[in-house]
Amino acid sequence: GEQVEQRPPHLSVREGDSAIIICTYTDSATAYFSWYKQEAGAGLQLLMSVLSNVDRKEEQGLTVLLNKKDKRLSLNLTAAHPGDSAVYFCAVSNTGNYKYVFGAGTRLKVIA
Amino acid sequence: DMKVTQMPRYLIKRMGENVLLECGQDMSHETMYWYRQDPGLGLQLIYISYDVDSNSEGDIPKGYRVSRKKREHFSLILDSAKTNQTSVYFCASTGDINQDTQYFGPGTRLLVL
């Protein structure tokens, strides 16, 4: 079945710097790609999702890149601020089966 | 207002007791999920429900069962809870049109003593 690896597990950056989180997956049939943010004591909140026909998507200081050849998905937080401190998860799914596989998470700390 | 609710938010049970976790959504989503979250493991899918009485095992169904009698409600049941079922449990839902978006509840923190 699908395997997802997420790195790094922990990331610390200074305010204003970029933070990059990467996920690699194994199934070439993967069609849906999402990034979620989880703040302490809360559920997961969708940040951005892309379909397999999208290579790049930017929204509100976030950039998602999808490299299907290398089976790599990345999330770039440009100009991170302390409010971005949280745990971030990638999630991928095949077409039609509605089952998602999540990465293990990246705990991001943005230092003021 | 698109919302997934979970009850209770916190629960302490003794080993061998039965546990009922409830989830509700107000978006008429067909598909609902139960996950558990443990440190370093991300979210693991326990069960998925495609609609009323249409449930399917996820990756770690052992020790759990589910019930979905109404589209807006999805229950997770632990018959005779075990200490290794101590975890945070999340419910989520997704609609047909936006399969790429899951809406998550706030989670239930379960401690089994």
Side-chain angles (χ1 to χ4, degrees):
Chain A
E2 177 87 83
Q3 305 277 337
V4 175
E5 288 193 13
Q6 183 172 343
R7 64 180 193 274
H10 301 276
L11 181 59
S12 183
V13 301
R14 294 199 175 276
E15 186 174 9
D17 288 348
S18 291
I20 299 175
I21 304 169
I22 295 172
C23 284
T24 56
Y25 58 97
T26 56
D27 190 343
S28 57
T30 301
Y32 297 93
F33 305 85
S34 302
W35 285 99
Y36 289 85
K37 177 183 181 182
Q38 184 181 32
E39 296 179 335
L44 278 71
Q45 176 190 0
L46 179 70
L47 290 175
M48 204 183 310
S49 59
V50 298
L51 301 179
S52 59
N53 60 352
V54 173
D55 294 331
R56 181 187 182 101
K57 186 174 180 180
E58 293 184 45
E59 277 182 7
Q60 298 179 328
L62 301 173
T63 302
V64 170
L65 297 177
L66 177 61
N67 182 325
K68 292 181 286 293
K69 174 176 172 291
D70 295 338
K71 298 189 184 69
R72 187 174 67 240
L73 175 73
S74 67
L75 173 70
N76 186 350
L77 292 80
T78 54
H81 56 86
D84 292 327
S85 296
V87 182
Y88 291 80
F89 293 93
C90 64
V92 304
S93 176
N94 290 336
T95 304
N97 73 359
Y98 291 83
K99 289 187 176 181
Y100 293 81
V101 179
F102 284 78
T106 295
R107 185 173 297 275
L108 172 66
K109 183 175 181 180
V110 181
I111 303 166
Chain B
D1 191 22
M2 297 178 291
K3 201 170 182 180
V4 177
T5 57
Q6 290 185 237
M7 292 290 287
R9 294 292 315 277
Y10 304 91
L11 187 60
I12 300 175
K13 287 285 192 179
R14 295 194 179 278
M15 192 169 58
E17 291 185 328
N18 297 334
V19 177
L20 173 64
L21 305 185
E22 308 261 32
C23 175
Q25 49 100 359
D26 61 2
M27 298 166 279
S28 296
H29 283 167
E30 298 88 352
T31 307
M32 296 185 73
Y33 308 79
W34 276 107
Y35 295 94
R36 64 177 282 176
Q37 183 179 36
D38 300 292
L41 294 179
L43 274 74
Q44 297 175 275
L45 180 64
I46 305 171
Y47 267 94
I48 181 172
S49 173
Y50 294 102
D51 211 329
V52 171
D53 285 329
S54 180
N55 307 317
S56 179
E57 293 181 346
D59 299 319
I60 52 163
K62 188 177 179 182
Y64 304 93
R65 62 183 174 93
V66 292
S67 175
R68 190 155 178 216
K69 298 301 181 185
K70 294 183 180 180
R71 178 171 281 189
E72 61 269 23
H73 290 132
F74 191 32
S75 301
L76 180 69
I77 302 125
L78 288 67
D79 295 314
S80 188
K82 299 172 182 54
T83 55
N84 63 7
Q85 292 178 306
T86 292
S87 187
V88 182
Y89 292 86
F90 286 99
C91 174
S93 71
T94 190
D96 254 342
I97 295 175
N98 291 318
Q99 186 188 336
D100 54 326
T101 302
Q102 286 188 90
Y103 295 85
F104 281 84
T108 294
R109 192 172 293 272
L110 172 66
L111 173 62
V112 182
L113 300 173

